[in-house]
Amino acid sequence: MKSRIQSVIVSAAALVFGLTFALAARGQQRPLITEDVDIIPPGSMRIEAGLDFVQKAKFPVSGLNGDLTRAGVIGINIGFAPNVEFQIEGVAQNFLSINSRGTSAIPLNLANNADSTNDIGDFTLWAKIKLRNETAHWPSFGFRFGVQLPNSNQARGIGLNQTNAYGQVLFGKKFGHDARVNTFGNLGIGILTAPTGLFTQNDVLTYGLAGIVRLNSQFFLAGEVNGRANTRPGGGPLGTESQSEARLGMQIRASGLRFDFAGIKGLTKNSPRSGVTVGVTYDTPSIFTPAK
């Protein structure tokens, strides 16, 4: 059964490369992690919650490997103005079923025979600004910057408990009748603190290319490739290695909510091998008077 599920995920992830160019409502995100340029309506909130399960997750700093469940993948977006949005994202709790243990570069608070560990995820605060609306010939542009907070406990072996900074250029273009196809991408830099090196950091390249195609008023197909690339010679400082994944899934509108699911396929040696994600999104009506 497991091999059959893995085959389906691998096949779906392979299709993402062919669908990305053809992959649309305003700012629809989950199950994608690439950021759309569009801003949610000013004065409203978008609340996202999900569950991820990935196989053969790797944690080079702690030396742990296993199956990771992210319970409570949370996203809160607030529209402050027609071109400004504030975001909070993170994971309420990570659970790792340990399959193997290698050499740890940091002290761990785990028993020698422990077969699992859990910890809160590191939350990130973001501000997104839309700089230019889309025209007939040119895509829309925006900018997004954020800081990742050190919420996790590195001794649990899952999080790194580091402060990292990010900046991204956003772009997007819609195609087809009534903007049926929405494509968007991100390109930026992440300044990652090296968890095992004193006064050391790694400036990685972050990227994402995604698309959503509206099949009808209820069903949307979504796919992406998203990750970060090490810019240092070799593999880079421990804990800042290249990571990348592909996602392919669906969004379904029903009962005033948007449900989603997707298969996940890791694309680098330090990425999880495969996985699935499911979630739900609720867009509130206007709840405050936005900035003019």
Side-chain angles (χ1 to χ4, degrees):
M1 181 64 178
K2 181 183 289 187
S3 61
R4 184 183 302 173
I5 294 174
Q6 291 172 355
S7 297
V8 171
I9 293 172
V10 170
S11 299
L15 287 174
V16 86
F17 295 98
L19 290 171
T20 296
F21 77 95
L23 290 169
R26 170 178 296 231
Q28 292 187 350
Q29 291 282 138
R30 281 201 55 91
L32 309 180
I33 52 180
T34 302
E35 186 67 25
D36 198 347
V37 187
D38 289 337
I39 304 292
I40 64 173
S44 69
M45 292 181 61
R46 170 165 294 162
I47 303 171
E48 301 174 326
L51 176 72
D52 295 355
F53 173 75
V54 294
Q55 297 177 309
K56 293 194 174 181
K58 304 173 182 65
F59 301 88
V61 175
S62 65
L64 300 181
N65 293 269
D67 298 335
L68 178 67
T69 300
R70 303 186 187 105
V73 182
I74 300 167
I76 300 175
N77 299 2
I78 306 172
F80 276 109
N83 66 329
V84 179
E85 184 177 317
F86 178 72
Q87 304 169 339
I88 304 171
E89 61 182 35
V91 182
Q93 197 71 204
N94 289 306
F95 299 90
L96 180 68
S97 176
I98 301 173
N99 294 336
S100 64
R101 298 178 65 163
T103 302
S104 177
I106 58 175
L108 296 180
N109 184 21
L110 295 176
N112 290 332
N113 60 347
D115 59 3
S116 65
T117 183
N118 65 283
D119 191 18
I120 189 173
D122 294 320
F123 278 69
T124 306
L125 306 180
W126 294 95
K128 180 169 73 171
I129 303 172
K130 188 174 185 179
L131 302 175
R132 184 180 187 276
N133 289 325
E134 178 182 341
T135 66
H137 302 290
W138 292 95
S140 56
F141 287 100
F143 183 72
R144 185 179 185 231
F145 58 93
V147 57
Q148 187 177 54
L149 306 178
N151 305 115
S152 61
N153 179 1
Q154 74 282 356
R156 302 300 299 168
I158 305 176
L160 295 176
N161 193 25
Q162 301 290 321
T163 301
N164 301 315
Y166 300 91
Q168 299 174 337
V169 175
L170 316 177
F171 51 91
K173 191 78 172 70
K174 298 179 177 66
F175 302 94
H177 175 68
D178 197 24
R180 188 177 71 90
V181 177
N182 181 20
T183 60
F184 49 97
N186 310 158
L187 188 62
I189 188 171
I191 304 174
L192 308 184
T193 304
T196 61
L198 187 62
F199 305 120
T200 303
Q201 68 185 44
N202 190 10
D203 300 336
V204 299
L205 177 71
T206 64
Y207 58 89
L209 183 61
I212 300 173
V213 57
R214 186 178 68 249
L215 304 179
N216 55 40
S217 60
Q218 286 185 295
F219 295 94
F220 299 76
L221 179 66
E224 73 175 348
V225 174
N226 186 284
R228 73 187 191 204
N230 167 55
T231 60
R232 295 281 194 91
L238 196 64
T240 66
E241 301 87 355
S242 297
Q243 293 184 352
S244 183
E245 65 182 48
R247 295 189 176 201
L248 181 65
M250 295 285 296
Q251 298 174 341
I252 304 170
R253 287 185 174 185
S255 303
L257 301 172
R258 188 170 69 247
F259 301 91
D260 65 80
F261 63 90
I264 302 171
K265 173 60 180 175
L267 302 178
T268 67
K269 67 176 183 179
N270 290 304
S271 303
R273 183 180 66 182
S274 59
V276 294
T277 180
V278 296
V280 62
T281 299
Y282 173 62
D283 289 337
T284 73
S286 180
I287 59 177
F288 66 91
T289 303
K292 300 297 183 179

